[in-house]
Amino acid sequence: NGMLSLAEVDKAVKEHWPHFNNKHVLIRAFNSADENGTGYVGKLEFEFMIRFIINYTKANREFTKVDTSSDKRISFAEFSAACKDMDPSKSQSELKTIFKGLDKNGGGYILFEEFCSYFASKNADVQLQLSGSDTNGIRQRREAASKRGGSVQPKGIRVEAIAVPDIKKANELFDRSDINGNGALSLAEID
């Protein structure tokens, strides 16, 4: 069917990129790429999913460094300690403002989902807007990111440029994962 389910992506990652095998990251990346909510990622969304996997893996590394209690959430104390290590000049008031901006649900903690949203917002090429041609989408994402230029980014949390396979290589990878060559990955192929 020319589309991948989460199970198919999970199997392909285990086989081809075991260093990216993190369920939490894969689910988040898959759901971010599955913009229309069908439960599948097509070839057009596949490149975005790869970008999400790479960036959310990086975000997870940063998140884990700050989450010293390993409870899968960042408290203000953990956030404050990490920021003070990176930029001692920040006042508690400034840190609280930044923290509240990251804590989108107001629960008093920064969850991985919230951290990923922030992390992705700092990288325009990762935001998924599949309207118009690909060139148009990339231009729109860059313009949207430049408009958000006033947002606060804690010093020391870097969003690095990533090398993403071009569409030809992404299609080759999709085709390699399709063992029987029918243009779709079945659950049987994954098991």
Side-chain angles (χ1 to χ4, degrees), residues 3-10 23-42 45-46 48-50 52-53 56 128:
M3 301 192 331
L4 298 171
S5 68
L6 178 58
E8 292 167 325
V9 169
D10 183 43
K23 298 287 185 230
H24 198 61
V25 167
L26 290 180
I27 290 168
R28 172 80 172 123
F30 183 88
N31 289 336
S32 295
D34 180 21
E35 185 181 55
N36 58 7
T38 61
Y40 294 94
V41 172
E45 298 165 314
F46 187 67
F48 287 102
M49 188 190 66
I50 291 171
F52 284 125
I53 289 171
Y56 292 155
L128 184 58

Side-chain angles (χ1 to χ4, degrees), residues 6-175:
L6 178 58
E8 292 167 325
V9 169
D10 183 43
K11 182 175 187 331
V13 167
K14 283 179 189 173
E15 291 178 5
H16 300 289
W17 311 295
H19 55 284
F20 286 110
N21 189 20
N22 178 314
K23 298 287 185 230
H24 198 61
V25 167
L26 290 180
I27 290 168
R28 172 80 172 123
F30 183 88
N31 289 336
S32 295
D34 180 21
E35 185 181 55
N36 58 7
T38 61
Y40 294 94
V41 172
K43 286 188 177 188
L44 291 176
E45 298 165 314
F46 187 67
E47 179 184 356
F48 287 102
M49 188 190 66
I50 291 171
R51 291 173 188 239
F52 284 125
I53 289 171
I54 292 167
N55 279 291
Y56 292 155
T57 297
K58 290 178 181 182
N60 187 57
R61 283 188 207 128
E62 296 299 320
F63 185 88
T64 303
K65 287 178 193 174
V66 178
D67 178 23
T68 56
S69 65
S70 300
D71 63 354
K72 307 287 188 225
R73 56 189 187 171
I74 298 172
S75 67
F76 178 72
E78 290 169 323
F79 178 78
S80 179
C83 288
K84 284 293 181 186
D85 287 344
M86 293 181 272
D87 186 2
S89 69
K90 292 276 188 217
S91 70
Q92 285 289 18
S93 176
E94 290 173 304
L95 293 176
K96 283 181 184 175
T97 300
I98 296 168
F99 185 84
K100 285 180 181 178
L102 292 169
D103 179 18
K104 296 294 183 194
N105 71 357
Y109 295 93
I110 300 170
L111 305 176
F112 182 66
E113 174 102 3
E114 294 166 329
F115 192 82
C116 282
S117 294
Y118 169 78
F119 199 87
S121 74
K122 293 299 174 190
N123 189 339
D125 289 337
V126 180
Q127 294 166 1
L128 184 58
Q129 295 177 8
L130 293 178
S131 57
S133 70
D134 189 43
T135 305
N136 246 352
I138 290 170
R139 184 179 43 75
Q140 289 170 347
R141 290 189 299 277
R142 287 192 176 135
E143 288 172 1
S146 72
K147 287 178 185 174
R148 285 190 312 274
S151 63
V152 180
Q153 178 175 350
K155 187 175 177 181
I157 297 178
R158 297 184 336 253
V159 178
E160 302 169 16
I162 58 171
V164 178
D166 62 24
I167 194 69
K168 182 180 177 190
K169 288 182 182 178
N171 284 334
E172 287 171 5
L173 179 60
F174 185 95
D175 292 339

